[in-house]
Amino acid sequence: MKSQYFQSVELEGTGSVHETPVHRYPTATHKLMDSALPNLLTVYDALQYRIGQEPDKKSLGKRSIIEIVTKDKQVKRTVNGTVETSTKKWSYFRLSDYSWMTYKEIGEATKSLGSGFVHLGLKRDSRVMVYAPTSREWMLCALASYSQGMQVVTAYDTLGEEGVLHAMNQAKVELVFMHVDQMPVMAKVIDRAETVRKIVVFHDAYGMPDKASQALEVVKTKRD
């Protein structure tokens, strides 16, 4: 029989007909804990601990976008009792199989990327904005920043021009780590970014779309 592992347990003497019991982690029922283990005080500490425990265990998975497929479809609808047919364009992603990074590989990648940030002139407490969809690259950037004591600022990839500009200026961001798909938005606001010194971009397997490539050239011109 498979043993059970409880993520939390009820504290004795708590709870009533009017409220639910207090739950705590099984090893922390005697008091509130500041950290899971005494020497794990940061997210990066936790990563280093896991590398030491299970270096070859798979952790971060990714399915790359190989291409964006666009097809025409005939759509029928009834208008005033008459059936009309129109052509709509439908787009979908063609994805690769999962590829995985082990904890050891994650550690090596974050050290390399974090060192790159330092080489670009950032230092402890510099602010790095991640302007990208949730992804493996998003997490690697955050961990790389933590490895150098830098602060992470996040911006939804769906933000419009004014939202991104506000995020950069309000947080005094020095470096933006972003997906190329957001480059057209960045091109429209970069000349009003008060503190941004560097931009690091990444893309999926389908490469750099034409609009992103053109926008990147605009950004380069405005930052010169």
Side-chain angles (χ1 to χ4, degrees):
M1 181 177 177
K2 187 177 180 179
S3 61
Q4 288 185 316
Y5 178 78
F6 294 96
Q7 298 294 333
S8 68
V9 295
E10 293 183 8
L11 288 190
E12 186 177 350
T14 66
S16 68
V17 293
H18 302 293
E19 60 184 18
T20 58
V22 174
H23 282 72
R24 286 187 185 168
Y25 193 69
T27 60
T29 56
H30 59 297
K31 66 174 183 178
L32 292 176
M33 307 290 286
D34 294 324
S35 60
L37 293 173
N39 61 332
L40 301 186
L41 303 179
T42 67
V43 172
Y44 194 68
D45 288 342
L47 172 63
Q48 294 304 307
Y49 174 79
R50 188 47 54 196
I51 292 172
Q53 295 293 309
E54 299 176 294
D56 298 321
K57 184 175 182 179
K58 295 176 180 179
S59 178
L60 281 180
K62 176 183 176 67
R63 294 182 71 187
S64 296
I65 300 174
I66 299 174
E67 65 174 325
I68 301 176
V69 180
T70 302
K71 290 186 176 181
D72 292 336
K73 281 194 174 184
Q74 300 298 312
V75 178
K76 294 183 179 181
R77 62 176 182 170
T78 302
V79 180
N80 296 325
T82 302
V83 177
E84 296 182 354
T85 301
S86 60
T87 302
K88 299 285 187 180
K89 289 189 177 296
W90 296 77
S91 297
Y92 62 91
F93 295 137
R94 189 161 71 87
L95 302 175
S96 69
D97 293 332
Y98 274 101
S99 63
W100 292 91
M101 293 180 71
T102 64
Y103 281 112
K104 182 180 179 181
E105 291 170 335
I106 295 168
E108 293 170 349
T110 54
K111 285 181 181 178
S112 178
L113 185 56
S115 297
F117 290 166
V118 172
H119 181 73
L120 291 175
L122 274 66
K123 56 186 182 299
R124 183 180 181 85
D125 292 329
S126 290
R127 291 175 182 170
V128 176
M129 186 171 88
V130 188
Y131 179 36
T134 304
S135 60
R136 182 162 68 185
E137 291 80 7
W138 193 109
M139 181 58 69
L140 291 174
C141 176
L143 292 171
S145 301
Y146 297 148
S147 75
Q148 305 300 321
M150 298 169 186
Q151 300 175 18
V152 175
V153 179
T154 62
Y156 289 115
D157 62 308
T158 54
L159 281 180
E161 298 165 20
E162 294 304 316
V164 173
L165 181 64
H166 176 77
M168 291 189 293
N169 289 340
Q170 182 75 10
K172 295 181 172 57
V173 169
E174 294 181 44
L175 180 145
V176 179
F177 181 88
M178 61 181 294
H179 192 282
V180 295
D181 286 352
Q182 278 68 52
M183 191 57 69
V185 174
M186 183 62 67
K188 295 178 180 179
V189 300
I190 190 61
D191 55 342
R192 291 187 284 154
E194 299 168 357
T195 57
V196 174
R197 298 157 50 198
K198 301 291 182 179
I199 296 176
V200 176
V201 300
F202 71 95
H203 58 72
D204 292 288
Y206 61 82
M208 177 86 79
D210 290 340
K211 287 185 178 180
S213 182
Q214 295 166 8
L216 178 58
E217 293 305 314
V218 172
V219 170
K220 288 179 179 179
T221 300
K222 290 184 177 182
R223 299 307 291 174
D224 289 341

